[in-house]
Amino acid sequence: MKNLILPLLAAITLSSPLRTVAAALDELPGGELVTASLPAVPVPQRARQLICVDPGHPNTFNAATTMVNGTNENRINWQVGLRLERILKEQGYDVLLTRNAELHYVENKDRARLCNNGAALAVHLHCESTPGTGFALYYPDRPGVYDYKNDPENGTRGPASGVITGSRPLADALAAGMTEGLAGALRPQGVRGDSRTAVGSRQGALTYSIFSEIPTVTIEMAVLTNKQDAAFIKSEGGQERMAGAIAAGIRLYRAP
Ligand SMILES: [Zn+2]
């Protein structure tokens, strides 16, 4: 700044009358009058945060297309995923979806790898079909070992400790956003370690947690075998509230 102001002051001091200097500064060669100003200093643009939205299923192990209470888990995950994508973009985030159609098959480890491509965090959308009601959140609380004997990557260990320490605060933020946004509709059932899930109890962590290099949380949005939960998450209004509540949780963890 100093370098620009000093020559300007020198020009004003040396020239007479002052009006001439002002006119010289204000006039473009074509004679058009403009406001004299110092060259604008470019403001560095902060990159928008990239959020990885993973509508869970279909994959080789589970397509999740079995009909339950008039819908299926795969469809609900996809529909809420699209709403979440739209809402996050409206709020100023960039969004990476892990699949591009309701029946687009992508393996869980590949979903994690897609998300690792520059995303700040990943949310994996699922629904439960066990007895119960409400929503629950799962995060990697310890490293696991990928356990699929026929896969060349069988035995892969992960995630790294930074992912484990970053994922719990994300799960807590999502729980807070969802508890407020879904009040009166779906009850919070808690924040739990991956090892409380069926796959996690076998491997130590869920598959995409093992392959994740960024904070990652699995959201069991509702219990589809529960009639009230299913009615809520099937409805457009319920899906919109769910997506809005998840977006609010993401915002608590990371601003756009
Ligand atoms: Zn699922």
Side-chain angles (χ1 to χ4, degrees), residues 11-255:
I12 291 170
T13 311
L14 293 172
S15 306
S16 181
L18 270 180
R19 214 196 121 269
T20 317
V21 175
L25 284 171
D26 284 355
E27 273 179 55
L28 290 175
E32 187 190 344
L33 219 59
V34 295
T35 307
S37 61
L38 296 172
V41 178
V43 178
Q45 291 289 307
R46 190 169 60 83
R48 287 154 64 105
Q49 295 288 334
L50 178 64
I51 307 299
C52 192
V53 173
D54 175 31
H57 309 279
N59 54 53
T60 306
F61 309 107
N62 187 359
T65 50
T66 307
M67 293 303 282
V68 184
N69 278 324
T71 187
N72 66 68
E73 187 200 341
N74 176 54
R75 178 167 302 156
I76 297 295
N77 298 345
W78 175 242
Q79 290 174 341
V80 175
L82 290 181
R83 291 179 187 276
L84 180 56
E85 178 192 32
R86 191 200 78 241
I87 291 171
L88 287 171
K89 283 182 173 173
E90 285 169 1
Q91 295 184 353
Y93 294 94
D94 284 334
V95 175
L96 174 65
L97 268 183
T98 55
R99 55 183 168 115
N100 53 31
E102 186 178 323
L103 286 173
H104 179 195
Y105 278 64
V106 183
E107 301 306 339
N108 282 337
K109 63 177 185 178
D110 296 330
R111 292 167 188 258
R113 289 210 167 101
L114 272 171
C115 296
N116 290 342
N117 252 332
L121 59 95
V123 287
H124 307 276
L125 309 180
H126 287 260
C127 296
E128 280 284 15
S129 284
T130 50
T133 179
F135 63 89
L137 299 120
Y138 295 88
Y139 67 99
D141 55 337
R142 66 192 75 172
V145 179
Y146 185 50
D147 180 24
Y148 285 96
K149 301 287 181 276
N150 295 328
D151 191 314
E153 291 183 286
N154 179 50
T156 299
R157 279 183 68 83
S161 60
V163 173
I164 292 169
T165 51
S167 294
R168 176 66 201 249
L170 172 59
D172 289 339
L174 286 163
M178 292 175 72
T179 299
E180 187 179 338
L182 297 168
L186 287 173
R187 275 196 313 230
Q189 298 298 340
V191 174
R192 305 164 182 165
D194 274 4
S195 49
R196 295 274 301 275
T197 64
V199 172
S201 66
R202 190 162 51 81
Q203 300 190 138
L206 290 166
T207 295
Y208 36 61
S209 295
I210 289 173
F211 286 88
S212 187
E213 295 168 3
I214 54 175
T216 180
V217 168
T218 297
I219 305 173
E220 297 287 359
M221 300 183 287
V223 178
L224 281 192
T225 41
N226 178 294
K227 279 197 162 37
Q228 285 79 26
D229 281 24
F232 177 78
I233 202 67
K234 264 170 30 179
S235 70
E236 287 198 10
Q239 290 184 3
E240 193 67 10
R241 264 185 83 181
M242 174 60 70
I246 294 171
I250 289 171
R251 206 179 173 84
L252 286 174
Y253 179 82
R254 185 66 57 90

